[in-house]
Every structure is written in structure tokens, then in C-alpha cells.
Amino acid sequence: MRTKLYAIIAATALVAPAFGENIVLTADSCRTLAVANNESLRKASNNTRRAELDKEIAFTAYLPDFSATAAAMYMVEDADMMGTKLSMKGTYLAGVSLTQPLYAGGRIRAANRLGKIGMESAKESERKERMQVIADADNAYWSYVAVLKKVDLLESYALQMDTLFAQTEKSVNAEMATSNDLLRIETKRSEIAYQLQKAKNGAELCRLALCSVTGLDFGTGILPADSEISVAMPGSLTDDISQRPELVLLQKQIEAREEQVKMARADILPTVGLSAGYLYLGNIKMKGVFDAGNGVMAPFTNTMNDGYTTALATVSIPIFHWGEGRKKVKQARIDVDNARLEMEENSRLMKIEVRQAIQNVTDSHNMISTAELGMRQADENLRVMRRKYDVQMCTLTDLLDAQSQWQQARSNYIEAQSQFKIYESEYYRVTGQLDL
């Protein structure tokens, strides 16, 4: 999916953008926009709400079940019952019933605990997705800041070469320099122009990526508020992963598997239920004769309309089904063991990931100090070489090398700073601490 997205961005970058709106964004505002507009995060939020509804549905199993029934029947022919005609033309019945489970082998309680675990797992999944979205926003923002600073650097470098070209051109006219020197500077200017164009293309790609992450329109011009990258080493770097949502999800998986064992065990335990109801029968007609005495047989008719109250207690005891229930319990226990093994394995991998993140933060912070020292040395070297070149105490090659070193040193410093911010965000993500 990301490969496809980058392909779309790259194709879009080939067209010169016509920005409809320019906005200034900070790192925090990028995070806020990303969290508000990310589709995956919204789906995770929907899944959390769905899990909450599942928990509420599971709780209803504790409550009585009310139901109502109604039926009508028309029997074409009357039934003969020992000389009595039973007519059911237009007979009807209606009733209500209440069913209350008293004991279900622990199934209802286990189902409710599963519902709670599912809701907690959904919340952790949402938190995991939220942290990934924030980390992606940080990555996109600081990459954009870095490439814009490199564009500024190359423009400054190009300006230096333009100045040097103008000076050398005057020297050539005064026969104090050769046309070859001018040609070498022109070649360098072309190389810088090529690098500058690449940097601008990269800036456009980064802008589009940042628009994608934050949910902004691709025509939006973005101006980072952080013209300077502020770097501060975190107070303490711990390898504690207890807050990491991936670990919590693995723990919840074990809890869910344990409840599945109880669900499987419930299948081999008795169940007890109680039901009560009221049934009303109407329009049942009976016709026949009865002995009125003295040998006289008198006809009679009777219409039955009556109601009945019912109560029923049921006990269901599984007796034998070839050991199916016990085997299901054993399977569920194996699933619990596998879930524990999976957590142990992934815990080790997560600890390695955290150690690597700590190493990246530490190393990148040291790289900033090294790059800063190199930048100061390159600045001083360029200053000295310019003075020497002006009094013809060094060659053009020495000056061009000094300028190239100056540009490379500043580029290294920009990369070290931006990479530190990205590594810092990743460290907070893998330790479960990243948030707005």
C-alpha cells in the first residue's frame, strides 16, 4: 500500500504545484492533524466502539429473556373425539414467557470476561495505531524540515559560486587567471544546480508525503515553523516495555485463551434454567351429546376460552459423547500455552527493538556533536582559504575543496539533527510513551 502511495506522490511531484493555500505547521500541529484525519485510526476507534457493544451484548445473557407468541388455526374438518366433535375453526392462542438461566457451567461469566478483554484489547490496538500515526507524522515533518534546510544550504552554496565566478571572470579579463579556472567554476556551478534541483524535487516529495500524513489537500503549501531544529537528549532512556500496546495485547490474548478454556469446560457441565409463562387459548368449540337420564341423550355445545399459567425448571446434564468435551478443553489449554510462548518470543524481540532504539538515539546525539565540530572546522577552513585565495596564497582547487567541505559539513549537521528527532520519536513509540 505504501509503495503504491509513494508512486502516486512521485508522479504528482513531476507536475509543478499550484498551491491554493499556504499554512505554517509545527511538529505538534502535524501530530494533531494526523491523528484527526487518519482513516486507519478512525477505523480503530470504530472497532473499539464495536468491542464495547460486544461487551454490553454479553452482559444481557445474565438477564431474563422475555418473549411473546401468537397463533391462529383453521381446521377444515372437525375432529371426532369419542363422539364429541372438536371444532377448531378460528382457534387462536397467545402467550408470554420469561426464561432465566440459573447456571450455565460458567459460560455466561466467561463470555462476559471475554467481552471485557475484547474491549480492552481494542483500546490497546487503537493506542498502538495512534502512536504509529504520530511517529509517521514526526518522520514526515522532520524529513521535510531537513530537505528544506538543504535547499537553503545549496542556494547559499550556489551564491558563493556565483560570487567566485564573477571574481574569477574579472581576473581572467585582467589576465590574472586562466579561462580554465573559469571553466572549472562553471562546471562546479552546474553540479550545484543539479544538486539543488534534486533537493527541490525531494522537498516536493516530502511536502506531498506530509500532506498525505496530515490529511491536507495535496495543493497545500506547507511552511515549517521550526526553522531551527531544537535537540535535547531525553532525561532517561529505559528499556521498559510494560507500557507498549503490543505487549498488553499479547497479555490480553493469554487472558482470552484462558476464558476459552472455561467456555470449553462449560460444555461438559450441567446447565440449569427456569421459565415461566402465561398461555391463553380461545375459540375451541366442542359439540356432542350427553346422557341426561332416563335414556334421554341431550345435545351440548361448549366454547373454551381459558388461560393457563406455566412454570418449568430444566436441568441438562451431559453424560457421554465419546470424550468430545474433555478433548476440547485440552485443545483450549494448548492454545493458552501457545499464547504464552508467543508472548515470550515477542517480548524478547520488542526488548531488542527498544535496545536498538536507545542505541540510535544515543548515537545520533553523538553524531550531532561530531557534525557540529566538523561544521565549525569547515567554516574556519573556508574563511582561511578565501583569504589565502584573495592574496593568491592557495590554488583554486584548494578553495573549491574548502567550499565543498563546508557544504558537506553543514549537510551532515542537518541530517544528524533531523535524524535525532526521528529516532527520538521512534524510541517513545517502541516504549509505549508516544502521544500528543
Side-chain angles (χ1 to χ4, degrees), residues 159-203:
L159 185 60
Q160 290 181 22
M161 296 307 299
D162 290 343
T163 302
L164 181 59
F165 182 85
Q167 291 174 349
T168 305
E169 190 174 35
K170 290 179 182 180
S171 298
V172 169
N173 293 334
E175 297 184 352
M176 296 178 63
T178 66
S179 57
N180 185 54
D181 291 339
L182 202 62
L183 182 60
R184 290 178 61 193
I185 297 172
E186 183 62 33
T187 301
K188 194 68 175 178
R189 289 173 71 190
S190 298
E191 179 185 335
I192 295 170
Y194 176 77
Q195 293 177 0
L196 180 58
Q197 187 57 50
K198 283 185 63 178
K200 288 180 177 179
N201 291 343

Side-chain angles (χ1 to χ4, degrees), residues 28 31 35 127 130-131 134 428 432-436:
D28 288 340
R31 288 182 171 191
V35 168
R127 189 165 72 92
R130 179 186 178 90
M131 287 197 295
I134 293 173
Y428 286 124
Q433 304 178 65
L434 189 61
D435 206 346
L436 294 177

Side-chain angles (χ1 to χ4, degrees), residues 13-280:
L14 297 177
V15 181
F19 298 142
E21 181 185 5
N22 290 321
I23 62 173
V24 177
L25 291 182
T26 64
D28 288 340
S29 61
C30 281
R31 288 182 171 191
T32 302
L33 284 170
V35 168
N37 297 323
N38 185 266
E39 293 84 359
S40 296
L41 187 54
R42 278 185 278 177
K43 285 194 292 184
S45 179
N46 288 339
N47 289 338
T48 299
R49 179 55 186 151
R50 192 178 189 281
E52 290 173 352
L53 292 173
D54 284 340
K55 179 178 179 296
E56 293 172 8
I57 291 170
F59 180 76
T60 61
Y62 283 120
L63 306 177
D65 179 24
F66 290 94
S67 62
T69 58
M73 182 174 64
Y74 187 91
M75 185 180 291
V76 177
E77 298 179 356
D78 295 339
D80 189 348
M81 300 178 64
M82 300 179 64
T84 300
K85 297 292 185 179
L86 182 64
S87 176
M88 300 182 72
K89 295 179 173 64
T91 299
Y92 63 88
L93 63 87
V96 293
S97 65
L98 179 148
T99 303
Q100 174 65 57
L102 301 180
Y103 178 71
R107 175 183 295 277
I108 297 176
R109 187 177 301 174
N112 274 267
R113 282 196 288 258
L114 277 171
K116 181 181 178 183
I117 293 169
M119 183 185 68
E120 293 168 347
S121 297
K123 288 181 178 179
E124 287 300 317
S125 294
E126 183 178 356
R127 189 165 72 92
K128 173 188 172 185
E129 188 65 34
R130 179 186 178 90
M131 287 197 295
Q132 185 61 60
V133 168
I134 293 173
D136 290 343
D138 286 351
N139 194 328
Y141 179 79
W142 292 114
S143 296
Y144 186 49
V145 171
V147 74
L148 287 181
K149 289 177 73 66
K150 286 187 176 183
V151 169
D152 291 340
L153 173 62
L154 286 167
E155 287 176 343
S156 177
Y157 191 17
L159 185 60
Q160 290 181 22
M161 296 307 299
D162 290 343
T163 302
L164 181 59
F165 182 85
Q167 291 174 349
T168 305
E169 190 174 35
K170 290 179 182 180
S171 298
V172 169
N173 293 334
E175 297 184 352
M176 296 178 63
T178 66
S179 57
N180 185 54
D181 291 339
L182 202 62
L183 182 60
R184 290 178 61 193
I185 297 172
E186 183 62 33
T187 301
K188 194 68 175 178
R189 289 173 71 190
S190 298
E191 179 185 335
I192 295 170
Y194 176 77
Q195 293 177 0
L196 180 58
Q197 187 57 50
K198 283 185 63 178
K200 288 180 177 179
N201 291 343
E204 177 61 9
L205 285 171
C206 289
R207 184 191 67 82
L208 291 169
L210 187 55
C211 286
S212 176
V213 169
T214 55
L216 296 172
D217 185 86
F218 283 120
T220 304
I222 300 176
L223 303 174
D226 300 273
S227 57
E228 297 297 329
I229 303 176
S230 177
V231 174
M233 190 71 174
S236 61
L237 296 173
T238 174
D239 62 356
D240 180 25
I241 61 172
S242 60
Q243 298 183 59
R244 185 158 178 177
E246 290 91 336
L247 181 65
V248 178
L249 285 170
L250 289 169
Q251 292 168 342
K252 293 299 177 184
Q253 180 176 282
I254 294 175
E255 294 177 18
R257 295 298 187 187
E258 288 172 342
E259 295 303 324
Q260 291 288 353
V261 172
K262 296 175 184 177
M263 294 281 283
R265 188 183 295 121
D267 290 339
I268 59 176
L269 295 177
T271 58
V272 181
L274 178 66
S275 63
Y278 179 81
L279 182 65
Y280 187 84

Side-chain angles (χ1 to χ4, degrees), residues 278-289:
Y278 179 81
L279 182 65
Y280 187 84
L281 297 172
N283 202 29
I284 300 178
K285 298 177 181 179
M286 291 180 290
K287 297 179 182 180
V289 293

